[in-house]
Amino acid sequence: EPKPRSAFYRINIAEQRDSLEADVKRVNAERSVTAGEALRIQESYKEAIAKYQEAYQLYQDVGDTAGAALALLDIGKANYFLLDMHEAIASYEKALKLFEADNIRLDQGVSLLYIGMAKLFLGLNNDALSYYDRALHLFNNENDQRYYSFALNEIGRAYYLQGDANTALNYYNQALPIRQELNDRKGESFTLVSIGRVYSNVFGSDTLARDYYQRALALQREIGNRRLIAQTLGDIGRLSYRAGEYTAALNTYTEALRTAGDGDPSVRAEILMYIGLVYSAWGRHREAIDHYFNDALRLQEDRDARGFARTRQQIGRSYAALGEDDKALEHLKAALKLWQNVVHRTAEAETRYHIALIESKKGHLAEACEQIKTALPAVESLRSGIWNRALRANYFASVQNY
């Protein structure tokens, strides 16, 4: 029996009402995303997360899976900037499942890339490389050169942090021309800094490093990225520090600290640690510990595993210079364990060297020899793996005290 016209009318009105309500929710979701982006740019990350969560719920209400997944990525990125990596990973993984359900392959790759970045920050290098590899294949299949170059650079960074400088350079040198061709100035500057760090921190070639840093800094100032400018100034300051130009280094670090402001604890902590090194070089070790290293530790704890290890290592060296050997060993051994956890062979070898110096001073020669014997294979494997003869000699000179 046919239904009366009034029934069709009621159904039609209900459908229109549902459609109108869904449209309103979508508009409100987009507004929440826009508000979240504005807050994120202002580095008000917690407030941004609240807006992204509003958007996520609205997208969920109207069954917009892709919109919900994108909101989850935004939540994850804000948590990443807050250095809450576990929350970031949780959001990225939820987003990945939604993108997989909708077979949105490019955004699957983005989710995998972001998970890898958070894993790398936590020092889980092998996990990070696994996620990066999956992302790289998706970006290649989708022919997205911007994300492909991003993934190449991240893979290079993972190998650099693992102490494999040659493999790192290989990936950086693949990423750089792609980013230049895309006119991706932020990405290009990031890769230039990455290459500079390999030349300076591993190969000891500060002249080459400075060239890469200056090229990067010019690009960063063009685009006005304060975080990257502060980091690169920190790298340039380290070159002055290594050359014994401590006043020049301090001036550069002070500019970097002013540029970073209070909104980025990881960068601020890194610069504070560098300033502490200057005061240590001047023999003002207590001042370095009390006013710079300890402030850096507070910002790094439970946030930045590598930064925390590096700062504890420097505190250990300062206590050693003050003749407080037991405190020095406490910090150096804690740093050693952290370096082992994040798989950084060069930093581990350096820490073992400083432990050996103190153990030798205390008359513990067997322990000192064991530390050196353990450190030497890592140093030698890195030296012998450098293909350029001049760079090999430069690197050997930088670690000859081992």
Side-chain angles (χ1 to χ4, degrees), residues 313-314 316-318 320-321 325 328-329 331-333 335-336 339 346-362 368 371-372 375 401-402:
Q313 179 179 323
Q314 295 304 333
R317 293 182 64 181
S318 289
D325 292 342
L329 283 175
H331 284 278
L332 288 169
K333 288 181 178 180
L336 178 61
W339 288 130
T346 49
E348 180 186 338
E350 182 183 355
T351 306
R352 287 187 183 280
Y353 166 68
H354 291 294
I355 291 172
L357 287 178
I358 298 172
E359 295 289 10
S360 177
K361 177 185 172 185
K362 290 166 73 73
Q371 293 291 344
I372 292 296
N401 284 336
Y402 294 163

PDB file of all heavy atoms in Angstrom, residues 313-314 316-318 320-321 325 328-329 331-333 335-336 339 346-362 368 371-372 375 401-402:
ATOM      1  N   GLN A 313      76.432  14.408  30.343  1.00  0.00           N
ATOM      2  CA  GLN A 313      77.840  14.193  30.012  1.00  0.00           C
ATOM      3  C   GLN A 313      78.660  15.443  30.311  1.00  0.00           C
ATOM      4  O   GLN A 313      79.759  15.354  30.895  1.00  0.00           O
ATOM      5  CB  GLN A 313      77.964  13.815  28.536  1.00  0.00           C
ATOM      6  CG  GLN A 313      79.393  13.584  28.067  1.00  0.00           C
ATOM      7  CD  GLN A 313      79.440  13.184  26.598  1.00  0.00           C
ATOM      8  OE1 GLN A 313      78.579  12.468  26.111  1.00  0.00           O
ATOM      9  NE2 GLN A 313      80.444  13.669  25.890  1.00  0.00           N
ATOM     10  N   GLN A 314      78.142  16.602  29.933  1.00  0.00           N
ATOM     11  CA  GLN A 314      78.883  17.843  30.167  1.00  0.00           C
ATOM     12  C   GLN A 314      78.973  18.170  31.657  1.00  0.00           C
ATOM     13  O   GLN A 314      79.997  18.693  32.128  1.00  0.00           O
ATOM     14  CB  GLN A 314      78.223  18.997  29.404  1.00  0.00           C
ATOM     15  CG  GLN A 314      78.267  18.850  27.893  1.00  0.00           C
ATOM     16  CD  GLN A 314      79.674  18.678  27.352  1.00  0.00           C
ATOM     17  OE1 GLN A 314      80.646  19.131  27.944  1.00  0.00           O
ATOM     18  NE2 GLN A 314      79.790  18.007  26.212  1.00  0.00           N
ATOM     19  N   GLY A 316      79.137  15.948  33.995  1.00  0.00           N
ATOM     20  CA  GLY A 316      80.174  15.042  34.464  1.00  0.00           C
ATOM     21  C   GLY A 316      81.565  15.587  34.204  1.00  0.00           C
ATOM     22  O   GLY A 316      82.454  15.532  35.073  1.00  0.00           O
ATOM     23  N   ARG A 317      81.768  16.134  33.027  1.00  0.00           N
ATOM     24  CA  ARG A 317      83.084  16.689  32.685  1.00  0.00           C
ATOM     25  C   ARG A 317      83.411  17.903  33.555  1.00  0.00           C
ATOM     26  O   ARG A 317      84.576  18.107  33.948  1.00  0.00           O
ATOM     27  CB  ARG A 317      83.118  17.063  31.208  1.00  0.00           C
ATOM     28  CG  ARG A 317      83.047  15.868  30.274  1.00  0.00           C
ATOM     29  CD  ARG A 317      83.139  16.277  28.816  1.00  0.00           C
ATOM     30  NE  ARG A 317      84.440  16.888  28.515  1.00  0.00           N
ATOM     31  CZ  ARG A 317      84.775  17.356  27.325  1.00  0.00           C
ATOM     32  NH1 ARG A 317      83.914  17.289  26.316  1.00  0.00           N
ATOM     33  NH2 ARG A 317      85.960  17.883  27.123  1.00  0.00           N
ATOM     34  N   SER A 318      82.395  18.715  33.864  1.00  0.00           N
ATOM     35  CA  SER A 318      82.635  19.881  34.719  1.00  0.00           C
ATOM     36  C   SER A 318      82.991  19.464  36.144  1.00  0.00           C
ATOM     37  O   SER A 318      83.892  20.041  36.768  1.00  0.00           O
ATOM     38  CB  SER A 318      81.402  20.791  34.724  1.00  0.00           C
ATOM     39  OG  SER A 318      81.251  21.431  33.476  1.00  0.00           O
ATOM     40  N   ALA A 320      84.428  16.722  36.910  1.00  0.00           N
ATOM     41  CA  ALA A 320      85.784  16.185  36.818  1.00  0.00           C
ATOM     42  C   ALA A 320      86.809  17.313  36.868  1.00  0.00           C
ATOM     43  O   ALA A 320      87.852  17.205  37.535  1.00  0.00           O
ATOM     44  CB  ALA A 320      85.936  15.372  35.533  1.00  0.00           C
ATOM     45  N   ALA A 321      86.518  18.409  36.182  1.00  0.00           N
ATOM     46  CA  ALA A 321      87.430  19.555  36.191  1.00  0.00           C
ATOM     47  C   ALA A 321      87.525  20.182  37.574  1.00  0.00           C
ATOM     48  O   ALA A 321      88.571  20.748  37.941  1.00  0.00           O
ATOM     49  CB  ALA A 321      86.965  20.596  35.172  1.00  0.00           C
ATOM     50  N   ASP A 325      85.379  13.744  41.526  1.00  0.00           N
ATOM     51  CA  ASP A 325      85.371  12.602  40.620  1.00  0.00           C
ATOM     52  C   ASP A 325      84.157  11.697  40.787  1.00  0.00           C
ATOM     53  O   ASP A 325      83.646  11.150  39.797  1.00  0.00           O
ATOM     54  CB  ASP A 325      86.646  11.781  40.814  1.00  0.00           C
ATOM     55  CG  ASP A 325      87.885  12.522  40.345  1.00  0.00           C
ATOM     56  OD1 ASP A 325      87.725  13.491  39.576  1.00  0.00           O
ATOM     57  OD2 ASP A 325      88.998  12.140  40.741  1.00  0.00           O
ATOM     58  N   ALA A 328      81.337  13.266  39.084  1.00  0.00           N
ATOM     59  CA  ALA A 328      81.602  13.200  37.645  1.00  0.00           C
ATOM     60  C   ALA A 328      81.244  11.832  37.093  1.00  0.00           C
ATOM     61  O   ALA A 328      80.555  11.718  36.063  1.00  0.00           O
ATOM     62  CB  ALA A 328      83.062  13.518  37.374  1.00  0.00           C
ATOM     63  N   LEU A 329      81.675  10.769  37.763  1.00  0.00           N
ATOM     64  CA  LEU A 329      81.377   9.414  37.296  1.00  0.00           C
ATOM     65  C   LEU A 329      79.886   9.126  37.326  1.00  0.00           C
ATOM     66  O   LEU A 329      79.358   8.447  36.433  1.00  0.00           O
ATOM     67  CB  LEU A 329      82.123   8.387  38.146  1.00  0.00           C
ATOM     68  CG  LEU A 329      83.610   8.214  37.846  1.00  0.00           C
ATOM     69  CD1 LEU A 329      84.254   7.257  38.843  1.00  0.00           C
ATOM     70  CD2 LEU A 329      83.824   7.711  36.418  1.00  0.00           C
ATOM     71  N   HIS A 331      77.420  11.166  36.772  1.00  0.00           N
ATOM     72  CA  HIS A 331      76.780  11.775  35.601  1.00  0.00           C
ATOM     73  C   HIS A 331      77.255  11.125  34.305  1.00  0.00           C
ATOM     74  O   HIS A 331      76.454  10.893  33.391  1.00  0.00           O
ATOM     75  CB  HIS A 331      77.034  13.282  35.582  1.00  0.00           C
ATOM     76  CG  HIS A 331      76.196  14.040  36.553  1.00  0.00           C
ATOM     77  ND1 HIS A 331      74.895  14.408  36.285  1.00  0.00           N
ATOM     78  CD2 HIS A 331      76.464  14.483  37.802  1.00  0.00           C
ATOM     79  CE1 HIS A 331      74.404  15.070  37.319  1.00  0.00           C
ATOM     80  NE2 HIS A 331      75.332  15.126  38.257  1.00  0.00           N
ATOM     81  N   LEU A 332      78.529  10.826  34.205  1.00  0.00           N
ATOM     82  CA  LEU A 332      79.043  10.227  32.978  1.00  0.00           C
ATOM     83  C   LEU A 332      78.487   8.828  32.751  1.00  0.00           C
ATOM     84  O   LEU A 332      78.140   8.463  31.615  1.00  0.00           O
ATOM     85  CB  LEU A 332      80.569  10.178  33.021  1.00  0.00           C
ATOM     86  CG  LEU A 332      81.284  11.531  32.861  1.00  0.00           C
ATOM     87  CD1 LEU A 332      82.759  11.399  33.190  1.00  0.00           C
ATOM     88  CD2 LEU A 332      81.093  12.092  31.447  1.00  0.00           C
ATOM     89  N   LYS A 333      78.373   8.039  33.812  1.00  0.00           N
ATOM     90  CA  LYS A 333      77.815   6.690  33.653  1.00  0.00           C
ATOM     91  C   LYS A 333      76.324   6.737  33.328  1.00  0.00           C
ATOM     92  O   LYS A 333      75.828   5.894  32.561  1.00  0.00           O
ATOM     93  CB  LYS A 333      78.095   5.863  34.909  1.00  0.00           C
ATOM     94  CG  LYS A 333      79.558   5.468  35.030  1.00  0.00           C
ATOM     95  CD  LYS A 333      79.847   4.627  36.260  1.00  0.00           C
ATOM     96  CE  LYS A 333      81.317   4.210  36.298  1.00  0.00           C
ATOM     97  NZ  LYS A 333      81.629   3.384  37.497  1.00  0.00           N
ATOM     98  N   ALA A 335      75.002   9.164  31.588  1.00  0.00           N
ATOM     99  CA  ALA A 335      75.000   9.565  30.177  1.00  0.00           C
ATOM    100  C   ALA A 335      75.318   8.380  29.281  1.00  0.00           C
ATOM    101  O   ALA A 335      74.694   8.199  28.226  1.00  0.00           O
ATOM    102  CB  ALA A 335      76.011  10.685  29.951  1.00  0.00           C
ATOM    103  N   LEU A 336      76.292   7.559  29.698  1.00  0.00           N
ATOM    104  CA  LEU A 336      76.664   6.392  28.906  1.00  0.00           C
ATOM    105  C   LEU A 336      75.474   5.460  28.692  1.00  0.00           C
ATOM    106  O   LEU A 336      75.229   4.982  27.566  1.00  0.00           O
ATOM    107  CB  LEU A 336      77.802   5.636  29.594  1.00  0.00           C
ATOM    108  CG  LEU A 336      78.275   4.350  28.916  1.00  0.00           C
ATOM    109  CD1 LEU A 336      78.803   4.635  27.520  1.00  0.00           C
ATOM    110  CD2 LEU A 336      79.340   3.659  29.765  1.00  0.00           C
ATOM    111  N   TRP A 339      73.176   7.029  26.166  1.00  0.00           N
ATOM    112  CA  TRP A 339      73.700   6.924  24.793  1.00  0.00           C
ATOM    113  C   TRP A 339      73.527   5.512  24.247  1.00  0.00           C
ATOM    114  O   TRP A 339      73.232   5.326  23.062  1.00  0.00           O
ATOM    115  CB  TRP A 339      75.169   7.317  24.738  1.00  0.00           C
ATOM    116  CG  TRP A 339      75.465   8.777  24.908  1.00  0.00           C
ATOM    117  CD1 TRP A 339      76.368   9.342  25.765  1.00  0.00           C
ATOM    118  CD2 TRP A 339      74.873   9.881  24.205  1.00  0.00           C
ATOM    119  NE1 TRP A 339      76.374  10.706  25.649  1.00  0.00           N
ATOM    120  CE2 TRP A 339      75.462  11.065  24.690  1.00  0.00           C
ATOM    121  CE3 TRP A 339      73.890   9.976  23.217  1.00  0.00           C
ATOM    122  CZ2 TRP A 339      75.114  12.325  24.225  1.00  0.00           C
ATOM    123  CZ3 TRP A 339      73.531  11.231  22.742  1.00  0.00           C
ATOM    124  CH2 TRP A 339      74.141  12.383  23.244  1.00  0.00           C
ATOM    125  N   THR A 346      79.215   7.340  18.440  1.00  0.00           N
ATOM    126  CA  THR A 346      80.267   8.333  18.646  1.00  0.00           C
ATOM    127  C   THR A 346      80.153   8.966  20.033  1.00  0.00           C
ATOM    128  O   THR A 346      81.156   9.150  20.727  1.00  0.00           O
ATOM    129  CB  THR A 346      80.212   9.423  17.565  1.00  0.00           C
ATOM    130  OG1 THR A 346      78.872   9.910  17.452  1.00  0.00           O
ATOM    131  CG2 THR A 346      80.662   8.886  16.233  1.00  0.00           C
ATOM    132  N   ALA A 347      78.928   9.307  20.443  1.00  0.00           N
ATOM    133  CA  ALA A 347      78.740   9.891  21.770  1.00  0.00           C
ATOM    134  C   ALA A 347      79.070   8.884  22.862  1.00  0.00           C
ATOM    135  O   ALA A 347      79.658   9.235  23.895  1.00  0.00           O
ATOM    136  CB  ALA A 347      77.300  10.383  21.921  1.00  0.00           C
ATOM    137  N   GLU A 348      78.719   7.629  22.650  1.00  0.00           N
ATOM    138  CA  GLU A 348      79.048   6.576  23.612  1.00  0.00           C
ATOM    139  C   GLU A 348      80.566   6.454  23.761  1.00  0.00           C
ATOM    140  O   GLU A 348      81.096   6.360  24.883  1.00  0.00           O
ATOM    141  CB  GLU A 348      78.461   5.240  23.167  1.00  0.00           C
ATOM    142  CG  GLU A 348      78.766   4.094  24.116  1.00  0.00           C
ATOM    143  CD  GLU A 348      78.302   2.741  23.592  1.00  0.00           C
ATOM    144  OE1 GLU A 348      77.398   2.713  22.731  1.00  0.00           O
ATOM    145  OE2 GLU A 348      78.848   1.717  24.047  1.00  0.00           O
ATOM    146  N   ALA A 349      81.290   6.466  22.627  1.00  0.00           N
ATOM    147  CA  ALA A 349      82.747   6.349  22.667  1.00  0.00           C
ATOM    148  C   ALA A 349      83.375   7.530  23.405  1.00  0.00           C
ATOM    149  O   ALA A 349      84.304   7.366  24.208  1.00  0.00           O
ATOM    150  CB  ALA A 349      83.298   6.253  21.250  1.00  0.00           C
ATOM    151  N   GLU A 350      82.862   8.726  23.137  1.00  0.00           N
ATOM    152  CA  GLU A 350      83.397   9.921  23.802  1.00  0.00           C
ATOM    153  C   GLU A 350      83.178   9.842  25.316  1.00  0.00           C
ATOM    154  O   GLU A 350      84.076  10.177  26.111  1.00  0.00           O
ATOM    155  CB  GLU A 350      82.734  11.179  23.239  1.00  0.00           C
ATOM    156  CG  GLU A 350      83.279  12.468  23.837  1.00  0.00           C
ATOM    157  CD  GLU A 350      82.551  13.699  23.328  1.00  0.00           C
ATOM    158  OE1 GLU A 350      81.689  13.561  22.445  1.00  0.00           O
ATOM    159  OE2 GLU A 350      82.862  14.791  23.836  1.00  0.00           O
ATOM    160  N   THR A 351      81.999   9.396  25.725  1.00  0.00           N
ATOM    161  CA  THR A 351      81.699   9.294  27.151  1.00  0.00           C
ATOM    162  C   THR A 351      82.591   8.251  27.812  1.00  0.00           C
ATOM    163  O   THR A 351      83.084   8.453  28.941  1.00  0.00           O
ATOM    164  CB  THR A 351      80.211   8.941  27.360  1.00  0.00           C
ATOM    165  OG1 THR A 351      79.400   9.888  26.657  1.00  0.00           O
ATOM    166  CG2 THR A 351      79.850   8.978  28.838  1.00  0.00           C
ATOM    167  N   ARG A 352      82.813   7.142  27.138  1.00  0.00           N
ATOM    168  CA  ARG A 352      83.705   6.109  27.685  1.00  0.00           C
ATOM    169  C   ARG A 352      85.121   6.667  27.874  1.00  0.00           C
ATOM    170  O   ARG A 352      85.809   6.339  28.853  1.00  0.00           O
ATOM    171  CB  ARG A 352      83.740   4.890  26.753  1.00  0.00           C
ATOM    172  CG  ARG A 352      82.469   4.048  26.788  1.00  0.00           C
ATOM    173  CD  ARG A 352      82.642   2.766  25.984  1.00  0.00           C
ATOM    174  NE  ARG A 352      81.413   1.996  25.953  1.00  0.00           N
ATOM    175  CZ  ARG A 352      80.990   1.199  26.928  1.00  0.00           C
ATOM    176  NH1 ARG A 352      81.724   1.078  28.039  1.00  0.00           N
ATOM    177  NH2 ARG A 352      79.870   0.533  26.805  1.00  0.00           N
ATOM    178  N   TYR A 353      85.562   7.494  26.952  1.00  0.00           N
ATOM    179  CA  TYR A 353      86.886   8.104  27.060  1.00  0.00           C
ATOM    180  C   TYR A 353      86.993   8.940  28.340  1.00  0.00           C
ATOM    181  O   TYR A 353      87.989   8.843  29.082  1.00  0.00           O
ATOM    182  CB  TYR A 353      87.142   8.968  25.818  1.00  0.00           C
ATOM    183  CG  TYR A 353      88.312   9.918  25.942  1.00  0.00           C
ATOM    184  CD1 TYR A 353      89.616   9.433  26.004  1.00  0.00           C
ATOM    185  CD2 TYR A 353      88.107  11.285  25.982  1.00  0.00           C
ATOM    186  CE1 TYR A 353      90.692  10.305  26.104  1.00  0.00           C
ATOM    187  CE2 TYR A 353      89.181  12.168  26.091  1.00  0.00           C
ATOM    188  CZ  TYR A 353      90.466  11.676  26.152  1.00  0.00           C
ATOM    189  OH  TYR A 353      91.518  12.540  26.247  1.00  0.00           O
ATOM    190  N   HIS A 354      85.975   9.740  28.633  1.00  0.00           N
ATOM    191  CA  HIS A 354      86.024  10.591  29.823  1.00  0.00           C
ATOM    192  C   HIS A 354      85.901   9.765  31.104  1.00  0.00           C
ATOM    193  O   HIS A 354      86.533  10.102  32.122  1.00  0.00           O
ATOM    194  CB  HIS A 354      84.938  11.658  29.749  1.00  0.00           C
ATOM    195  CG  HIS A 354      85.197  12.686  28.691  1.00  0.00           C
ATOM    196  ND1 HIS A 354      86.250  13.569  28.750  1.00  0.00           N
ATOM    197  CD2 HIS A 354      84.556  12.954  27.515  1.00  0.00           C
ATOM    198  CE1 HIS A 354      86.250  14.336  27.676  1.00  0.00           C
ATOM    199  NE2 HIS A 354      85.236  13.988  26.918  1.00  0.00           N
ATOM    200  N   ILE A 355      85.134   8.695  31.062  1.00  0.00           N
ATOM    201  CA  ILE A 355      85.076   7.786  32.211  1.00  0.00           C
ATOM    202  C   ILE A 355      86.451   7.159  32.443  1.00  0.00           C
ATOM    203  O   ILE A 355      86.928   7.064  33.589  1.00  0.00           O
ATOM    204  CB  ILE A 355      84.013   6.690  31.991  1.00  0.00           C
ATOM    205  CG1 ILE A 355      82.604   7.305  32.021  1.00  0.00           C
ATOM    206  CG2 ILE A 355      84.126   5.597  33.059  1.00  0.00           C
ATOM    207  CD1 ILE A 355      81.503   6.332  31.632  1.00  0.00           C
ATOM    208  N   ALA A 356      87.096   6.757  31.363  1.00  0.00           N
ATOM    209  CA  ALA A 356      88.415   6.132  31.470  1.00  0.00           C
ATOM    210  C   ALA A 356      89.433   7.079  32.095  1.00  0.00           C
ATOM    211  O   ALA A 356      90.278   6.658  32.908  1.00  0.00           O
ATOM    212  CB  ALA A 356      88.886   5.681  30.096  1.00  0.00           C
ATOM    213  N   LEU A 357      89.385   8.358  31.737  1.00  0.00           N
ATOM    214  CA  LEU A 357      90.311   9.329  32.318  1.00  0.00           C
ATOM    215  C   LEU A 357      90.179   9.385  33.838  1.00  0.00           C
ATOM    216  O   LEU A 357      91.183   9.417  34.567  1.00  0.00           O
ATOM    217  CB  LEU A 357      90.055  10.717  31.723  1.00  0.00           C
ATOM    218  CG  LEU A 357      90.495  10.968  30.281  1.00  0.00           C
ATOM    219  CD1 LEU A 357      90.118  12.384  29.860  1.00  0.00           C
ATOM    220  CD2 LEU A 357      92.002  10.757  30.111  1.00  0.00           C
ATOM    221  N   ILE A 358      88.938   9.397  34.307  1.00  0.00           N
ATOM    222  CA  ILE A 358      88.715   9.484  35.759  1.00  0.00           C
ATOM    223  C   ILE A 358      89.106   8.185  36.452  1.00  0.00           C
ATOM    224  O   ILE A 358      89.748   8.200  37.517  1.00  0.00           O
ATOM    225  CB  ILE A 358      87.243   9.839  36.045  1.00  0.00           C
ATOM    226  CG1 ILE A 358      86.903  11.215  35.457  1.00  0.00           C
ATOM    227  CG2 ILE A 358      86.982   9.839  37.554  1.00  0.00           C
ATOM    228  CD1 ILE A 358      85.432  11.567  35.532  1.00  0.00           C
ATOM    229  N   GLU A 359      88.725   7.049  35.842  1.00  0.00           N
ATOM    230  CA  GLU A 359      89.080   5.759  36.444  1.00  0.00           C
ATOM    231  C   GLU A 359      90.606   5.608  36.516  1.00  0.00           C
ATOM    232  O   GLU A 359      91.143   5.100  37.506  1.00  0.00           O
ATOM    233  CB  GLU A 359      88.471   4.608  35.639  1.00  0.00           C
ATOM    234  CG  GLU A 359      86.954   4.563  35.643  1.00  0.00           C
ATOM    235  CD  GLU A 359      86.361   4.147  36.979  1.00  0.00           C
ATOM    236  OE1 GLU A 359      87.102   4.075  37.983  1.00  0.00           O
ATOM    237  OE2 GLU A 359      85.145   3.906  37.027  1.00  0.00           O
ATOM    238  N   SER A 360      91.311   6.065  35.505  1.00  0.00           N
ATOM    239  CA  SER A 360      92.768   6.010  35.507  1.00  0.00           C
ATOM    240  C   SER A 360      93.335   6.891  36.613  1.00  0.00           C
ATOM    241  O   SER A 360      94.257   6.495  37.343  1.00  0.00           O
ATOM    242  CB  SER A 360      93.307   6.455  34.149  1.00  0.00           C
ATOM    243  OG  SER A 360      94.721   6.476  34.157  1.00  0.00           O
ATOM    244  N   LYS A 361      92.777   8.069  36.766  1.00  0.00           N
ATOM    245  CA  LYS A 361      93.206   8.995  37.821  1.00  0.00           C
ATOM    246  C   LYS A 361      93.001   8.393  39.200  1.00  0.00           C
ATOM    247  O   LYS A 361      93.816   8.591  40.123  1.00  0.00           O
ATOM    248  CB  LYS A 361      92.414  10.307  37.679  1.00  0.00           C
ATOM    249  CG  LYS A 361      92.714  11.339  38.756  1.00  0.00           C
ATOM    250  CD  LYS A 361      91.796  12.546  38.581  1.00  0.00           C
ATOM    251  CE  LYS A 361      91.936  13.515  39.744  1.00  0.00           C
ATOM    252  NZ  LYS A 361      90.955  14.631  39.635  1.00  0.00           N
ATOM    253  N   LYS A 362      91.913   7.616  39.369  1.00  0.00           N
ATOM    254  CA  LYS A 362      91.606   6.992  40.656  1.00  0.00           C
ATOM    255  C   LYS A 362      92.415   5.704  40.873  1.00  0.00           C
ATOM    256  O   LYS A 362      92.267   5.045  41.902  1.00  0.00           O
ATOM    257  CB  LYS A 362      90.097   6.687  40.737  1.00  0.00           C
ATOM    258  CG  LYS A 362      89.229   7.934  40.851  1.00  0.00           C
ATOM    259  CD  LYS A 362      87.761   7.635  40.592  1.00  0.00           C
ATOM    260  CE  LYS A 362      87.122   6.880  41.734  1.00  0.00           C
ATOM    261  NZ  LYS A 362      86.897   7.738  42.935  1.00  0.00           N
ATOM    262  N   ALA A 368      89.628   1.462  33.422  1.00  0.00           N
ATOM    263  CA  ALA A 368      89.947   2.466  32.402  1.00  0.00           C
ATOM    264  C   ALA A 368      90.257   1.800  31.065  1.00  0.00           C
ATOM    265  O   ALA A 368      89.772   2.230  30.008  1.00  0.00           O
ATOM    266  CB  ALA A 368      91.118   3.320  32.860  1.00  0.00           C
ATOM    267  N   GLN A 371      87.146   0.496  29.313  1.00  0.00           N
ATOM    268  CA  GLN A 371      86.362   1.558  28.663  1.00  0.00           C
ATOM    269  C   GLN A 371      86.979   1.940  27.316  1.00  0.00           C
ATOM    270  O   GLN A 371      86.276   2.090  26.313  1.00  0.00           O
ATOM    271  CB  GLN A 371      86.272   2.795  29.572  1.00  0.00           C
ATOM    272  CG  GLN A 371      85.468   2.602  30.840  1.00  0.00           C
ATOM    273  CD  GLN A 371      83.985   2.429  30.587  1.00  0.00           C
ATOM    274  OE1 GLN A 371      83.468   2.735  29.521  1.00  0.00           O
ATOM    275  NE2 GLN A 371      83.269   1.913  31.589  1.00  0.00           N
ATOM    276  N   ILE A 372      88.300   2.079  27.283  1.00  0.00           N
ATOM    277  CA  ILE A 372      88.976   2.456  26.036  1.00  0.00           C
ATOM    278  C   ILE A 372      88.855   1.345  24.996  1.00  0.00           C
ATOM    279  O   ILE A 372      88.591   1.600  23.811  1.00  0.00           O
ATOM    280  CB  ILE A 372      90.457   2.779  26.313  1.00  0.00           C
ATOM    281  CG1 ILE A 372      90.569   4.067  27.149  1.00  0.00           C
ATOM    282  CG2 ILE A 372      91.233   2.927  25.006  1.00  0.00           C
ATOM    283  CD1 ILE A 372      90.055   5.313  26.462  1.00  0.00           C
ATOM    284  N   ALA A 375      85.523   1.502  23.480  1.00  0.00           N
ATOM    285  CA  ALA A 375      85.290   2.690  22.654  1.00  0.00           C
ATOM    286  C   ALA A 375      86.009   2.628  21.315  1.00  0.00           C
ATOM    287  O   ALA A 375      85.479   3.094  20.298  1.00  0.00           O
ATOM    288  CB  ALA A 375      85.728   3.937  23.414  1.00  0.00           C
ATOM    289  N   ASN A 401      92.734  11.786  20.676  1.00  0.00           N
ATOM    290  CA  ASN A 401      92.932  11.632  22.109  1.00  0.00           C
ATOM    291  C   ASN A 401      92.405  10.285  22.610  1.00  0.00           C
ATOM    292  O   ASN A 401      92.772   9.836  23.695  1.00  0.00           O
ATOM    293  CB  ASN A 401      92.234  12.750  22.877  1.00  0.00           C
ATOM    294  CG  ASN A 401      93.006  14.047  22.780  1.00  0.00           C
ATOM    295  OD1 ASN A 401      94.203  14.025  22.549  1.00  0.00           O
ATOM    296  ND2 ASN A 401      92.321  15.170  22.948  1.00  0.00           N
ATOM    297  N   TYR A 402      91.496   9.666  21.861  1.00  0.00           N
ATOM    298  CA  TYR A 402      90.984   8.372  22.279  1.00  0.00           C
ATOM    299  C   TYR A 402      92.102   7.323  22.311  1.00  0.00           C
ATOM    300  O   TYR A 402      92.006   6.347  23.004  1.00  0.00           O
ATOM    301  CB  TYR A 402      89.868   7.874  21.341  1.00  0.00           C
ATOM    302  CG  TYR A 402      88.614   8.714  21.390  1.00  0.00           C
ATOM    303  CD1 TYR A 402      87.683   8.624  20.374  1.00  0.00           C
ATOM    304  CD2 TYR A 402      88.372   9.590  22.448  1.00  0.00           C
ATOM    305  CE1 TYR A 402      86.517   9.378  20.413  1.00  0.00           C
ATOM    306  CE2 TYR A 402      87.214  10.356  22.480  1.00  0.00           C
ATOM    307  CZ  TYR A 402      86.296  10.252  21.462  1.00  0.00           C
ATOM    308  OH  TYR A 402      85.145  10.997  21.479  1.00  0.00           O
TER     309      TYR A 402
END
